[in-house]
Coordinates of all heavy atoms in Angstrom, one line a residue:
E1 N 7.7 2.1 10.7 CA 8.1 2.4 12.1 C 9.5 2.8 12.2 O 9.9 3.7 12.9 CB 7.8 1.2 13.0 CG 6.3 0.9 13.2 CD 6.1 -0.4 14.0 OE1 7.0 -1.1 14.2 OE2 4.9 -0.7 14.3
I2 N 10.4 2.1 11.4 CA 11.8 2.3 11.4 C 12.1 3.7 10.8 O 12.9 4.5 11.3 CB 12.5 1.3 10.6 CG1 12.5 -0.1 11.3 CG2 14.0 1.7 10.3 CD1 13.0 -1.2 10.4
L3 N 11.3 4.1 9.7 CA 11.6 5.3 9.0 C 10.9 6.5 9.6 O 11.1 7.7 9.2 CB 11.2 5.2 7.6 CG 12.0 4.1 6.7 CD1 11.4 4.0 5.3 CD2 13.4 4.5 6.7
Q4 N 10.0 6.3 10.6 CA 9.2 7.4 11.1 C 9.9 8.6 11.5 O 9.5 9.7 11.2 CB 8.4 6.8 12.3 CG 7.2 7.7 12.8 CD 7.7 8.8 13.8 OE1 8.7 8.6 14.5 NE2 7.1 9.9 13.7
P5 N 11.1 8.5 12.2 CA 11.8 9.8 12.6 C 12.6 10.4 11.4 O 13.3 11.4 11.6 CB 12.8 9.3 13.7 CG 13.1 7.8 13.3 CD 11.8 7.3 12.7
S6 N 12.6 9.8 10.2 CA 13.4 10.3 9.1 C 12.5 11.0 8.1 O 11.3 11.1 8.2 CB 14.1 9.1 8.5 OG 13.3 8.4 7.6
S7 N 13.2 11.5 7.1 CA 12.5 12.2 5.9 C 12.4 11.2 4.7 O 11.9 11.6 3.7 CB 13.2 13.4 5.5 OG 14.6 13.1 5.1
I8 N 12.8 10.0 4.9 CA 12.8 9.0 3.8 C 11.4 8.6 3.5 O 10.6 8.2 4.5 CB 13.7 7.8 4.2 CG1 15.2 8.2 4.4 CG2 13.6 6.7 3.1 CD1 16.0 7.1 5.0
L9 N 11.0 8.5 2.3 CA 9.7 8.2 1.9 C 9.6 6.7 1.7 O 10.5 6.0 1.1 CB 9.4 8.9 0.5 CG 9.4 10.4 0.6 CD1 9.3 11.0 -0.9 CD2 8.4 11.0 1.5
L10 N 8.5 6.1 2.1 CA 8.2 4.7 2.0 C 7.3 4.4 0.9 O 6.2 5.1 0.8 CB 7.7 4.1 3.3 CG 7.3 2.6 3.4 CD1 8.6 1.8 3.2 CD2 6.6 2.3 4.7
G11 N 7.6 3.5 0.0 CA 6.7 3.1 -1.1 C 6.3 1.7 -1.1 O 6.9 0.8 -0.4
A12 N 5.2 1.4 -1.8 CA 4.7 0.1 -2.0 C 4.9 -0.3 -3.4 O 5.0 0.5 -4.3 CB 3.2 0.0 -1.6
Q13 N 4.9 -1.6 -3.7 CA 5.3 -2.1 -5.1 C 4.1 -2.3 -6.0 O 4.3 -2.5 -7.2 CB 6.0 -3.5 -4.9 CG 7.4 -3.4 -4.3 CD 8.2 -4.7 -4.3 OE1 7.9 -5.6 -5.1 NE2 9.2 -4.7 -3.5
D14 N 2.9 -2.1 -5.5 CA 1.7 -2.2 -6.3 C 0.5 -1.8 -5.5 O 0.6 -1.7 -4.3 CB 1.6 -3.6 -6.9 CG 0.5 -3.7 -8.0 OD1 0.3 -2.7 -8.7 OD2 0.0 -4.8 -8.2
T15 N -0.7 -1.7 -6.1 CA -1.9 -1.5 -5.4 C -3.1 -2.0 -6.3 O -2.9 -2.2 -7.5 CB -2.2 -0.1 -5.0 OG1 -3.3 0.0 -4.1 CG2 -2.4 0.8 -6.2
H16 N -4.2 -2.2 -5.7 CA -5.4 -2.5 -6.5 C -6.1 -1.1 -6.9 O -5.8 -0.1 -6.2 CB -6.4 -3.4 -5.8 CG -7.4 -4.0 -6.7 ND1 -8.6 -3.4 -6.9 CD2 -7.4 -5.1 -7.4 CE1 -9.3 -4.1 -7.8 NE2 -8.6 -5.2 -8.1
W17 N -7.0 -1.1 -7.9 CA -7.6 0.1 -8.2 C -8.9 0.4 -7.4 O -9.5 1.5 -7.5 CB -7.9 0.2 -9.7 CG -8.7 -1.0 -10.2 CD1 -10.1 -1.2 -10.1 CD2 -8.3 -2.1 -11.0 NE1 -10.5 -2.3 -10.7 CE2 -9.4 -2.9 -11.3 CE3 -7.0 -2.5 -11.5 CZ2 -9.3 -4.1 -12.0 CZ3 -6.9 -3.7 -12.2 CH2 -8.0 -4.5 -12.4
E18 N -9.4 -0.6 -6.7 CA -10.5 -0.4 -5.8 C -10.0 -0.3 -4.4 O -9.0 -0.9 -3.9 CB -11.5 -1.6 -5.9 CG -12.1 -1.7 -7.3 CD -13.1 -0.6 -7.6 OE1 -13.5 0.2 -6.6 OE2 -13.6 -0.5 -8.7
D19 N -10.8 0.5 -3.6 CA -10.4 0.7 -2.2 C -10.7 -0.5 -1.3 O -10.0 -0.8 -0.3 CB -11.1 1.9 -1.6 CG -10.7 3.2 -2.2 OD1 -9.7 3.2 -3.0 OD2 -11.3 4.3 -1.9
K20 N -11.8 -1.3 -1.7 CA -12.1 -2.5 -0.9 C -13.0 -3.4 -1.8 O -13.6 -2.9 -2.8 CB -12.8 -2.1 0.4 CG -14.1 -1.4 0.2 CD -14.8 -1.1 1.6 CE -16.1 -0.4 1.4 NZ -16.7 -0.1 2.8
G21 N -13.1 -4.6 -1.4 CA -14.0 -5.5 -2.2 C -13.5 -6.9 -2.2 O -12.5 -7.3 -1.5
A22 N -14.1 -7.8 -3.0 CA -13.8 -9.2 -3.1 C -12.7 -9.4 -4.1 O -12.9 -9.8 -5.3 CB -15.0 -10.0 -3.6
F23 N -11.5 -9.0 -3.7 CA -10.3 -9.1 -4.6 C -9.2 -9.8 -3.8 O -8.2 -9.3 -3.4 CB -9.8 -7.7 -5.0 CG -10.9 -6.8 -5.6 CD1 -11.5 -5.8 -4.9 CD2 -11.3 -7.1 -6.9 CE1 -12.5 -5.1 -5.5 CE2 -12.3 -6.4 -7.5 CZ -12.9 -5.3 -6.8
T24 N -9.4 -11.1 -3.7 CA -8.5 -11.9 -2.9 C -7.0 -11.8 -3.4 O -6.8 -12.0 -4.6 CB -8.9 -13.4 -2.9 OG1 -10.2 -13.5 -2.4 CG2 -8.0 -14.3 -2.1
G25 N -6.1 -11.6 -2.5 CA -4.7 -11.5 -2.8 C -4.2 -10.1 -3.2 O -3.0 -9.9 -3.3
E26 N -5.2 -9.2 -3.4 CA -4.8 -7.8 -3.8 C -4.6 -7.0 -2.5 O -5.0 -7.4 -1.4 CB -5.8 -7.2 -4.7 CG -5.9 -7.9 -6.0 CD -4.7 -7.7 -6.9 OE1 -4.1 -6.6 -6.8 OE2 -4.3 -8.6 -7.6
V27 N -4.0 -5.8 -2.7 CA -3.8 -4.9 -1.6 C -4.5 -3.5 -1.9 O -4.3 -2.9 -2.9 CB -2.3 -4.7 -1.3 CG1 -2.1 -3.7 -0.2 CG2 -1.6 -6.0 -1.0
S28 N -5.2 -3.1 -0.9 CA -6.0 -1.8 -1.1 C -5.1 -0.6 -0.9 O -4.2 -0.6 0.0 CB -7.1 -1.8 0.0 OG -7.6 -0.5 0.2

């Protein structure tokens, strides 16, 4: 939301390899 008016790219520090499922604690 803060960066929305800018050209700055937002990144995440990791992801899971599945889009959804029983992966408690992971991020899709």
Side-chain angles (χ1 to χ4, degrees):
E1 293 175 352
I2 293 169
L3 296 176
Q4 192 276 329
S6 77
S7 62
I8 299 171
L9 303 172
L10 180 65
Q13 293 185 18
D14 192 26
T15 189
H16 196 268
W17 57 76
E18 294 290 349
D19 291 355
K20 62 180 179 180
F23 305 106
T24 301
E26 294 294 326
V27 180
S28 162

